[in-house]
Amino acid sequence: MQDRKLGKFGENQFEGLCLQVGLTIQKSQMDETGWDFFVEFPWKQDNLSPQDMLPAPLECKIQVKSTDKQRKGESITLSNLHRLIKAKMPAFYCFIEFDGKSEPQAIYLVHVGKEIIEKTLKRIREIDNEGKGDKLKLNKDKLYISYRDADRLADVTGQSLKSAIEKHIPEGMEKYIENKNQLLNTLGFEDGGYEFTCTITSDDPIRDILDLSLGSRKEINIYNLTLFQKRFGILWKDAYVESDEAILSLQTKSIEAKLKFKEYKFSPGISFSAKLYMTPFCEFIPKERRKVRVESRFFEVIIESATGIKFSAYPSAEGTSLKEVKTFLQFLTLLEKSSNPLIVEIESEISTSPQIVSLSSKDLPQSLFDIRIFNGQLSSWSIVNELAEIVIEICRKMDIPEDKVLINIEELIKSFSSEYTHFQLLYQALHGKAKAVTLSFPIEPEGYQQGAKAASIFFVTVCIGNYIIGCCLAVVGSLSILGEKPSLIGERFLVGRQFISTDDTVISKESIDLSLNELVEELQNEELAFIQIEM
């Protein structure tokens, strides 16, 4: 069979099949390139798209192998395989079986895809690591490339060959090359690309590594570091990095979770969005040392098998919204009032049912209940919670979304403490609670007459986080003496124009004066004494 130059015979047959369907072929001029033919497809016509928008035509490299024996494969040198897997285009082996006849009896097209790429890369890494990765060794070492019934063309025609090639490039050249590069860059690195050894000088190295992997600490000092590159589980023979001293940090990954705190099993509870951190070193850590970390904007919960739960709170967390602050204040109020441990449910995508732990007062820092750090006049979180309710009601009445108001608890307390009267008046005015209002004057105002009907018109402003809220108000009522002070006892409110300002807007004095005058005009027909006060 060798006398009839089977290899050349097979190549001629392959060329003929390509010409049948208009495929352009270029023959390799060297035997070491790893391929015999460079095949180009014609442009794929599309009358719906302009010519300049057409996708690039398909092209590929093919090595033809001819045989008179049905041995279903052939050994290929690593050097040839190396070229084909790194080619920036599709590559194939075309096996043509003649079985001693003059015409091909069967043709098989084997795609140089993931299976062959992975096998080739792994073998090259193995012999490279033995110090035998030179060109001569790659020429001598071989891998067996087999073909199966699934690789067989439907018939020995150019159309079957063309269809078989197209089947492996369904999304076009650009996407194929992207996927191939992805394979070349990731195969063998599924379990990480490096492995290292080091010494940790600490009274508890397990604790330090766990805290680092959970994000509880940012870095640890390590010594005698040796770092090796790893692929397919094979360490490269030479160290990638060696150092007597280094700082180790880890990129932590979290899972979206939800924390729910309940007083009783079937109570609705208070929920927080959170991030769940789990260590990747679980299988190497004793069961009694395992722990997880859950972090929300306001607190951190660490649950350790041996020591239970550790809770840390951040009441002054920055970048919070009024809606988030309100939820956290509800939680703090629940902690203050509850005499029994709270039930904590942790829900996440990694578990079909929530993990449940218990949170008792002994697990909480006592400083959490000392709010004097914010203002000495407030004695409990429940009072702060009531203040938040007033602020939220004001925002709702003025159509300000709670999640758009950026404020933390400390700012809320300070704003309310410095502008308490303003908040109370605005809240009462927006809710029509004039009878709860009494305005007392330090001295008898001009036009004061006890028992007379009077009106006090003023402009009140409050600051709520990133919003400044203003409103023109009129309190209408009766003049009287209360506690030896001249006072106006409210009977009804008139609410004038409302002003909402953010950091980039200003409330003009002209607009305020115009609104105050509108209130005066509205009350002009009533026999009222007008009392001016400054708020």
Side-chain angles (χ1 to χ4, degrees):
M1 291 300 170
Q2 195 65 31
D3 292 339
R4 63 185 185 126
K5 298 182 179 179
L6 192 60
K8 184 65 176 174
F9 196 39
E11 290 177 5
N12 290 338
Q13 291 288 335
F14 180 82
E15 289 185 74
L17 294 176
C18 290
L19 293 174
Q20 284 179 17
V21 286
L23 302 181
T24 301
I25 56 174
Q26 296 180 35
K27 182 77 171 69
S28 171
Q29 300 301 312
M30 298 178 64
D31 292 335
E32 297 181 357
T33 57
W35 55 274
D36 294 317
F37 295 99
F38 175 56
V39 179
E40 295 178 286
F41 280 57
W43 285 95
K44 192 171 185 179
Q45 295 304 311
D46 181 359
N47 295 327
L48 300 178
S49 303
Q51 292 289 322
D52 61 302
M53 299 295 289
L54 290 177
L58 305 186
E59 54 189 31
C60 61
K61 290 182 176 180
I62 296 183
Q63 188 167 69
V64 177
K65 297 293 182 182
S66 304
T67 178
D68 269 331
K69 300 176 182 178
Q70 296 184 0
R71 55 192 177 198
K72 301 304 180 187
E74 186 165 334
S75 293
I76 310 293
T77 63
L78 274 180
S79 56
N80 279 357
L81 281 165
H82 198 192
R83 280 181 171 273
L84 281 186
I85 67 169
K86 293 293 179 72
K88 301 299 182 183
M89 64 178 65
F92 299 90
Y93 284 98
C94 183
F95 294 93
I96 302 178
E97 288 185 347
F98 286 93
D99 298 339
K101 298 181 175 59
S102 58
E103 296 294 331
Q105 301 304 297
I107 297 179
Y108 299 81
L109 189 74
V110 177
H111 177 225
V112 181
K114 180 181 177 182
E115 183 181 340
I116 293 177
I117 291 173
E118 184 170 23
K119 189 160 59 169
T120 303
L121 289 174
K122 184 175 182 180
R123 182 57 188 144
I124 291 174
R125 171 55 64 104
E126 288 171 346
I127 64 173
D128 233 3
N129 219 39
E130 297 166 2
K132 304 172 184 178
D134 56 20
K135 183 178 178 182
L136 182 61
K137 176 60 180 174
L138 293 183
N139 280 333
K140 290 182 178 179
D141 205 282
K142 295 182 178 182
L143 285 179
Y144 191 76
I145 304 300
S146 60
Y147 54 91
R148 302 177 286 270
D149 289 342
D151 304 314
R152 183 169 179 166
L153 302 190
D155 50 40
V156 184
T157 63
Q159 185 57 51
S160 288
L161 176 64
K162 182 171 179 287
S163 297
I165 296 172
E166 290 173 330
K167 182 183 73 173
H168 292 285
I169 320 170
E171 299 178 271
M173 288 296 294
E174 186 175 335
K175 187 64 177 177
Y176 180 94
I177 293 169
E178 179 187 331
N179 292 339
K180 186 172 184 179
N181 285 334
Q182 178 77 1
L183 280 176
L184 289 168
N185 292 329
T186 58
L187 282 174
F189 296 121
E190 292 81 4
D191 296 325
Y194 296 92
E195 188 173 301
F196 71 93
T197 59
C198 68
T199 302
I200 300 175
T201 305
S202 166
D203 60 334
D204 193 345
I206 292 179
R207 176 202 62 208
D208 293 346
I209 288 292
L210 276 174
D211 289 346
L212 188 66
S213 67
L214 294 173
S216 297
R217 61 185 298 173
K218 300 301 180 185
E219 57 188 37
I220 58 175
N221 295 321
I222 58 175
Y223 304 91
N224 305 319
L225 168 68
T226 307
L227 177 68
F228 292 91
Q229 191 192 60
K230 181 179 72 171
R231 193 171 196 180
F232 302 107
I234 304 168
L235 298 184
W236 180 242
K237 62 182 183 298
D238 299 319
Y240 185 70
V241 172
E242 289 184 290
S243 177
D244 294 335
E245 284 185 56
I247 294 175
L248 178 64
S249 63
L250 294 177
Q251 185 176 4
T252 56
K253 290 185 178 181
S254 62
I255 300 167
E256 294 299 322
K258 180 177 285 188
L259 250 69
K260 187 175 288 186
F261 296 88
K262 295 182 174 183
E263 198 168 6
Y264 308 105
K265 182 177 180 180
F266 296 109
S267 58
I270 300 171
S271 296
F272 294 89
S273 294
K275 295 186 180 297
L276 172 64
Y277 293 86
M278 304 182 69
T279 178
F281 307 125
C282 251
E283 58 184 294
F284 310 110
I285 301 293
K287 271 190 175 181
E288 63 275 11
R289 295 299 305 274
R290 293 177 186 174
K291 59 182 176 179
V292 298
R293 173 174 166 253
V294 187
E295 182 185 49
S296 88
R297 193 184 290 273
F298 293 101
F299 53 78
E300 174 187 81
V301 178
I302 295 176
I303 304 166
E304 190 167 3
S305 301
T307 58
I309 190 169
K310 179 182 177 183
F311 184 94
S312 303
Y314 319 119
S316 293
E318 294 297 325
T320 53
S321 70
L322 180 57
K323 185 176 182 179
E324 292 172 312
V325 166
K326 173 58 182 167
T327 303
F328 187 56
L329 286 171
Q330 288 175 325
F331 166 66
L332 293 175
T333 302
L334 180 63
L335 283 176
E336 273 184 341
K337 293 181 175 180
S338 180
S339 57
N340 298 318
L342 296 184
I343 298 168
V344 185
E345 294 181 353
I346 305 172
E347 300 176 0
S348 71
E349 60 187 28
I350 63 170
S351 177
T352 55
S353 57
Q355 181 180 355
I356 299 175
V357 293
S358 176
L359 178 66
S360 64
S361 57
K362 66 180 178 60
D363 302 315
L364 302 169
Q366 290 308 302
S367 59
L368 182 62
F369 301 102
D370 184 8
I371 67 171
R372 289 173 298 177
I373 56 173
F374 297 128
N375 189 292
Q377 298 176 2
L378 302 176
S379 57
S380 69
W381 286 118
S382 58
I383 295 175
V384 182
N385 187 42
E386 290 171 8
L387 302 184
E389 286 283 10
I390 293 174
V391 174
I392 286 173
E393 281 299 313
I394 291 173
C395 288
R396 287 173 180 169
K397 287 289 185 180
M398 302 192 78
D399 295 324
I400 300 174
E402 299 162 48
D403 56 350
K404 299 297 182 184
V405 180
L406 301 180
I407 191 170
N408 62 35
I409 291 178
E410 184 174 3
E411 291 168 341
L412 175 67
I413 293 173
K414 286 181 178 178
S415 293
F416 217 100
S417 299
S418 61
E419 301 173 354
Y420 179 78
T421 303
H422 292 200
F423 272 104
Q424 284 287 88
L425 271 172
L426 187 55
Y427 174 80
Q428 290 162 343
L430 294 174
H431 288 77
K433 297 182 177 182
K435 293 183 178 180
V437 175
T438 298
L439 298 178
S440 297
F441 313 111
I443 59 173
E444 189 173 286
E446 184 179 347
Y448 175 84
Q449 185 178 352
Q450 188 171 348
K453 294 291 183 180
S456 182
I457 299 174
F458 50 89
F459 180 71
V460 63
T461 61
V462 294
C463 181
I464 305 176
N466 55 326
Y467 282 83
I468 297 173
I469 297 172
C471 189
C472 293
L473 300 176
V475 180
V476 180
S478 301
L479 295 174
S480 182
I481 297 292
L482 288 179
E484 299 183 353
K485 286 186 178 181
S487 304
L488 175 64
I489 300 173
E491 295 174 359
R492 62 189 171 95
F493 269 115
L494 264 72
V495 178
R497 292 191 189 182
Q498 300 172 3
F499 299 87
I500 300 173
S501 171
T502 54
D503 297 336
D504 54 356
T505 60
V506 177
I507 304 172
S508 69
K509 185 178 184 304
E510 291 78 8
S511 298
I512 296 171
D513 290 342
L514 178 61
S515 181
L516 291 174
N517 288 334
E518 288 173 350
L519 286 176
V520 171
E521 290 175 5
E522 190 173 345
L523 293 168
Q524 201 72 51
N525 294 330
E526 301 183 34
E527 294 181 2
L528 298 171
F530 287 94
I531 299 174
Q532 297 290 333
I533 61 173
E534 294 291 331
M535 294 298 291

